[in-house]
Amino acid sequence: MTKKMFVLSCFLCSTTMMAQAQTPSSASPNTNPTQDPPGALMASANPDGEQKEQTTLHRRPAESEPAGDETPVPTALHPARLTGAEPIPRGMVWVPTGNLWTARENNSCNWCSKPMTFRRAALDKKAIGMWASALALTVADIEVLGSRHCISAGTCREGNPLLGGTRNQQYALRLPILAGAWIGTAWLRKGDQRLHIGGMKRWWILPMLYQATSSAGVAANLAR
């Protein structure tokens, strides 16, 4: 009886051990141990048997490739191919450089002014202030010259014969020239909003020249 119990116990132990050996593992084996996820740390052994860590490096994109949601900006285009559909970051404009176009930041050069409409370029506060001052000084120059007695008596004349010798001639010639300069600077200043082409940044130089010449004329006529 004792022998039977001993044999039965051995049979149950062996059965239990075999069942545990055949239970599937919860972790699935790696079918390709040589392939690791990008950036993962890999342990490897050198010839001396020492373990060391290795890192899988990601390739850095080239400068011409887009990073994230950014769009690469062409450095130069042929003028005939500039249609306004070319991608350009906010705060930059196309600037003509010879036969090519280059993307530049706003106000970083003389032709990098922010594009605007013609009406705004001609009638915003800066333009009205500069050209109204030039107009006022021009009128003052004409009136001071016309108020001199020698001009009406014909004993003296305007130093620049191209401007006319009488008050009416001065108004008929100088005011249309000033108006044309106002329109011309507005055209150069506005650029092109559709094509993102920058306008002239230093447009104010021309009205300042009108102000300076008219001021000099007023001072010269008052001094005589």
Side-chain angles (χ1 to χ4, degrees):
M1 184 68 181
T2 303
K3 291 181 178 181
K4 291 181 179 181
M5 293 294 295
F6 178 76
V7 171
L8 182 60
S9 298
C10 291
F11 177 77
L12 292 176
C13 286
S14 62
T15 305
T16 304
M17 293 177 64
M18 291 178 64
Q20 290 179 356
Q22 294 178 358
T23 302
S25 177
S26 58
S28 59
N30 187 5
T31 58
N32 189 4
T34 61
Q35 184 178 0
D36 294 298
L41 295 178
M42 299 182 298
S44 62
N46 56 13
D48 298 333
E50 297 178 356
Q51 297 290 331
K52 62 180 180 179
E53 292 183 349
Q54 296 178 352
T55 304
T56 303
L57 300 177
H58 296 279
R59 182 182 64 85
R60 177 178 292 181
E63 296 181 357
S64 59
E65 297 180 1
D69 296 333
E70 299 177 0
T71 305
V73 180
T75 56
L77 295 173
H78 192 276
R81 299 178 182 176
L82 192 62
T83 62
E86 289 76 17
I88 189 169
R90 182 177 298 178
M92 299 187 73
V93 292
W94 291 115
V95 180
T97 54
N99 294 328
L100 301 175
W101 293 94
T102 305
R104 300 285 297 273
E105 293 183 359
N106 286 344
N107 299 322
S108 61
C109 64
N110 186 39
W111 291 98
C112 300
S113 178
K114 184 179 180 180
M116 61 183 68
T117 61
F118 178 81
R119 181 176 181 179
R120 181 179 178 184
L123 299 176
D124 66 347
K125 293 181 179 180
K126 294 181 180 179
I128 290 178
M130 295 295 292
W131 286 109
S133 300
L135 177 61
L137 289 172
T138 300
V139 172
D141 185 17
I142 296 173
E143 290 299 324
V144 170
L145 177 65
S147 63
R148 295 180 59 186
H149 178 71
C150 64
I151 292 292
S152 58
T155 58
C156 63
R157 61 180 183 177
E158 167 68 32
N160 187 357
L162 297 177
L163 298 180
T166 64
R167 179 186 285 110
N168 293 334
Q169 290 177 351
Q170 293 255 336
Y171 275 117
L173 183 63
R174 296 179 66 175
L175 293 187
I177 293 177
L178 189 143
W182 189 336
I183 295 173
T185 54
W187 183 266
L188 294 175
R189 182 189 178 195
K190 75 179 186 64
D192 194 320
Q193 284 186 322
R194 185 180 66 87
L195 300 180
H196 306 286
I197 298 176
M200 187 177 183
K201 179 182 177 181
R202 297 181 179 89
W203 59 271
W204 42 265
I205 293 178
L206 189 57
M208 286 190 66
L209 289 176
Y210 272 86
Q211 295 173 13
T213 54
S214 298
S215 299
V218 171
N221 288 321
L222 291 177
R224 293 176 182 178

